[in-house]
C-alpha cells in the first residue's frame, strides 16, 4: 500500500499473520513502505525493539516496552524469548497508528472482532450513550436489561433471515415479540464474551442436551443399564475453534498442539477437510463422517465445523452443498450440528452467515474464470486486429 499525498511518507502497511505449530510460534510480517520514507530499512529494524530511532526515543516508550517484555504475557509467544511488540497509540477504521505516527493495516481485524473497523461512530455513540445514561454492564445471572434483550431480538431476526419484521431499524417497541417466541426456527440466544467461550458453551450445551435426554429416558425405562454417553465430537482437520480446553480439543490435532496436552485434552474424531472448492473435493470428508456415524453415532454428541471456509487453517474454501450433506447425515444418525461462524459470520464471506450460501451465491472461482476469459478474449481481439 502506497500512502496518499496527504499522508506521511513514513506510513507502513503491514499484514501480520501467525502460524502456530506444536513446537513454535512464528510471525510473518510483510511490509510495503513508501519509497520516499526516510531510512525505511533501518526504521523497520529499529521497530523490533522500539519504533523510534535511538537518538530521539522517548524514555516513556522504552519503559513501556521494557515492562511489556518482562511482565506481560502475549498470546502465542514465548515467555522467555517473546516476539517483538509494536506500541499502538490509536486506531481508526482499518488502521493502527504506532507511537511514531506510522500506520499499519490490521489485516487480522483484531482477531475477527473489529468487523466494522475501529472507532466506528455508530458503535461508539451507542456504547457511550448506554454508559452515560444506563450502565456499562451488569451480570446476567438472575438479571436482565433492555439493551441485552433488544440485542437478542435483533440477532434472532438476523439468524432467521427475517429482515421484514418490524423493529429491525427502529425501536425495541416495534419488535414482533410473539413471532420471535413461537415462529422462529432458531429462537434462543446465549451471549458470550469471546469466540472460544462461545464454542465452549455450544459444546457444553450439546453434552448437556444428551445427558438430560438420556437421563430422562432412563428414569422412564425398566432397563436400568446405563447407555453409552454421547460425549464425543466430529471435527475437520485444519479447523480452528479457540484455545480454551474444550475448543482446543476440536482444533486440528497438529496445529492445535494436541501433543503438548496429551492425556489431558478430550479425544475427538477427526476427518480430512475438503481439498478444494467443488463438491467432489469433499467426497472423502463426507465418506469419513458417514463411516464414523454408522459405527459410533451412539458416542457422538455433535459435528462441529467452520462453514464454507477454514480461516486460521489456511483460508480453505469448500462447497456449500457439503453443509447440506453433513446436516442430513447428522439428522439420519441423531447427532447435533454446530456451525462455528466466529470468523465467517456477519457478512465476511459475502452472505450474512456462511451457512446461508448455496450454489448460486457461492462461486469463489467464478471471478477468476471470468477474468481469464476476458484476458483471452482481449488477446483474440488483438490478434484479429493485427492480422
Amino acid at each position: 500500500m502506497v500512502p496518499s499525498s496527504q499522508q506521511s511518507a513514513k506510513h507502513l502497511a503491514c499484514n501480520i499473520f501467525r502460524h502456530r505449530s506444536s513446537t513454535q510460534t512464528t510471525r510473518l510480517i510483510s511490509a510495503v513502505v513508501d519509497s520516499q520514507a526516510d531510512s525505511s530499512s533501518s526504521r523497520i529494524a529499529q521497530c523490533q525493539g522500539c519504533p523510534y530511532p535511538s537518538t530521539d526515543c522517548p524514555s516513556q516508550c522504552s519503559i513501556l516496552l521494557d515492562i511489556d517484555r518482562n511482565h506481560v504475557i502475549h498470546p502465542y509467544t514465548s515467555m522467555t524469548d517473546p516476539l517483538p511488540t509494536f506500541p499502538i497509540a490509536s486506531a481508526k477504521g482499518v488502521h493502527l497508528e504506532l507511537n511514531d505516527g506510522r500506520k499499519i493495516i490490521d489485516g487480522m481485524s483484531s482477531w475477527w472482532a473489529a468487523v466494522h473497523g475501529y472507532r466506528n461512530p455508530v458503535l461508539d455513540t451507542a456504547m457511550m450513550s448506554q454508559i452515560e445514561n444506563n450502565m456499562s454492564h451488569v451480570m446476567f445471572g438472575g438479571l436482565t436489561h433492555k439493551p441485552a434483550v433488544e440485542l437478542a431480538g435483533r440477532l434472532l431476526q438476523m439468524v432467521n433471515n427475517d429482515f421484514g419484521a418490524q423493529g429491525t431499524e427502529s425501536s425495541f417497541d416495534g419488535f414482533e415479540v410473539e413471532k420471535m417466541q413461537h415462529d422462529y426456527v432458531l429462537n434462543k440466544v446465549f451471549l458470550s464474551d469471546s469466540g472460544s467461550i462461545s464454542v465452549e458453551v455450544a459444546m457444553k450445551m450439546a453434552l448437556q442436551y444428551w445427558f438430560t435426554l438420556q437421563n430422562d429416558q432412563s428414569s422412564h425405562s425398566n432397563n436400568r443399564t446405563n447407555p453409552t454417553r454421547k460425549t464425543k465430537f466430529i471435527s475437520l482437520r485444519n479447523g480452528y475453534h479457540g484455545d480454551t480446553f474444550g475448543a482446543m480439543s476440536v482444533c486440528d490435532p497438529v496445529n492445535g498442539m494436541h501433543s503438548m496436552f496429551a492425556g489431558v485434552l478430550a479425544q475427538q474424531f477427526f476427518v480430512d477437510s475438503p481439498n478444494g472448492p467443488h463438491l467432489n473435493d469433499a467426497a472423502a470428508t463426507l465418506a469419513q463422517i458417514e463411516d464414523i456415524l454408522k459405527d459410533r453415532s451412539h458416542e457422538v454428541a455433535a459435528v462441529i465445523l467452520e462453514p464454507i471456509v477454514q480461516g486460521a487453517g489456511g483460508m480453505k474454501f469448500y462447497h456449500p452443498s457439503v453443509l447440506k450433506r453433513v446436516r442430513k447425515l447428522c439428522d439420519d444418525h441423531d447427532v447435533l450440528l454446530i456451525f462455528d461462524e466466529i470468523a465467517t459470520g456477519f457478512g465476511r464471506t459475502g452472505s450474512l452467515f456462511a451457512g446461508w450460501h448455496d450454489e448460486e451465491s457461492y462461486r469463489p472461482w467464478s471471478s477468476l474464470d471470468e477474468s481469464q476469459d476476458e484476458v483471452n478474449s482481449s488477446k483474440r481481439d488483438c490478434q484479429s486486429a493485427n492480422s
Side-chain angles (χ1 to χ4, degrees):
M1 181 182 122
V2 179
S4 65
S5 57
Q6 290 80 18
Q7 294 174 319
S8 165
K10 297 177 182 178
H11 286 182
L12 172 69
C14 176
N15 288 321
I16 300 176
F17 302 89
R18 291 176 174 84
H19 173 73
R20 294 175 293 121
S21 71
S22 59
T23 58
Q24 65 180 0
T25 299
T26 59
R27 177 181 294 172
L28 304 178
I29 302 178
S30 61
V32 179
V33 185
D34 185 5
S35 59
Q36 300 178 9
D38 298 333
S39 305
S40 59
S41 59
S42 63
R43 293 180 66 83
I44 293 175
Q46 287 158 346
C47 276
Q48 301 304 309
C50 177
Y52 287 94
S54 58
T55 54
D56 62 352
C57 179
S59 60
Q60 293 92 336
C61 184
S62 294
I63 294 171
L64 179 145
L65 289 173
D66 281 343
I67 294 174
D68 182 274
R69 182 176 180 82
N70 293 322
H71 303 290
V72 179
I73 302 175
H74 287 266
Y76 311 127
T77 192
S78 168
M79 291 175 62
T80 56
D81 185 24
L83 292 167
T85 54
F86 299 84
I88 302 300
S90 63
K92 188 172 184 179
V94 300
H95 292 103
L96 305 176
E97 184 169 337
L98 275 68
N99 283 4
D100 67 348
R102 291 180 300 155
K103 290 183 179 179
I104 62 176
I105 294 174
D106 182 8
M108 291 288 285
S109 188
S110 191
W111 275 331
W112 314 294
V115 184
H116 303 287
Y118 297 97
R119 289 169 61 189
N120 181 290
V122 175
L123 298 179
D124 287 1
T125 299
M127 286 190 290
M128 288 187 289
S129 174
Q130 179 177 320
I131 291 171
E132 291 175 357
N133 299 319
N134 304 104
M135 71 203 88
S136 61
H137 165 79
V138 295
M139 71 174 189
F140 231 30
L143 304 172
T144 192
H145 51 86
K146 178 179 176 180
V149 178
E150 180 174 1
L151 172 62
R154 289 174 183 265
L155 287 172
L156 288 176
Q157 287 183 325
M158 295 175 75
V159 299
N160 287 280
N161 199 14
D162 183 25
F163 295 103
Q166 295 295 318
T168 303
E169 299 295 338
S170 60
S171 67
F172 176 72
D173 296 334
F175 279 98
E176 297 181 7
V177 178
E178 289 300 316
K179 181 176 181 181
M180 289 195 302
Q181 290 178 345
H182 300 294
D183 294 342
Y184 284 159
V185 175
L186 300 173
N187 54 27
K188 300 289 184 182
V189 176
F190 187 98
L191 301 174
S192 301
D193 58 358
S194 74
S196 186
I197 297 302
S198 68
V199 171
E200 293 280 343
V201 169
M203 293 175 69
K204 287 179 68 177
M205 282 184 173
L207 296 175
Q208 288 176 303
Y209 170 80
W210 292 116
F211 178 81
T212 303
L213 193 63
Q214 289 176 330
N215 277 4
D216 185 60
Q217 290 173 344
S218 296
S219 65
H220 291 84
S221 173
N222 293 326
N223 183 4
R224 295 301 179 182
T225 59
N226 291 325
T228 302
R229 292 278 305 280
K230 292 168 75 74
T231 59
K232 291 189 176 294
F233 294 83
I234 299 176
S235 183
L236 303 184
R237 295 187 185 277
N238 298 310
Y240 176 76
H241 301 282
D243 289 306
T244 49
F245 256 46
M248 226 175 126
S249 74
V250 292
C251 292
D252 183 89
V254 177
N255 293 332
M257 300 181 290
H258 285 204
S259 60
M260 186 181 299
F261 298 95
V264 181
L265 279 181
Q267 299 297 300
Q268 313 293 6
F269 297 117
F270 289 92
V271 300
D272 294 335
S273 58
N275 58 16
H278 300 276
L279 179 56
N280 58 4
D281 295 322
T285 304
L286 295 170
Q288 290 172 27
I289 293 175
E290 184 173 15
D291 287 344
I292 294 172
L293 290 178
K294 282 181 177 178
D295 296 335
R296 312 288 288 272
S297 63
H298 59 285
E299 299 177 53
V300 178
V303 174
I304 180 169
L305 49 79
E306 301 159 277
I308 302 300
V309 57
Q310 294 181 299
M315 300 305 292
K316 296 176 179 290
F317 284 76
Y318 61 90
H319 199 275
S321 292
V322 174
L323 303 178
K324 296 179 181 178
R325 305 290 177 89
V326 174
R327 171 76 274 174
K328 186 176 187 309
L329 287 172
C330 289
D331 290 343
D332 290 346
H333 295 276
D334 202 18
V335 166
L336 303 176
L337 177 60
I338 300 171
F339 282 179
D340 177 356
E341 293 246 20
I342 294 161
T344 59
F346 297 100
R348 294 181 183 93
T349 66
S351 176
L352 186 59
F353 296 101
W356 289 4
H357 278 292
D358 55 27
E359 290 79 356
E360 294 300 318
S361 66
Y362 172 77
R363 292 181 179 178
W365 56 88
S366 62
S367 59
L368 297 176
D369 294 342
E370 291 166 2
S371 298
Q372 188 61 47
D373 288 343
E374 292 176 2
V375 170
N376 294 337
S377 177
S378 298
K379 287 181 178 178
R380 288 194 296 270
D381 293 342
C382 290
Q383 290 170 353
S384 299
N386 290 334
S387 61

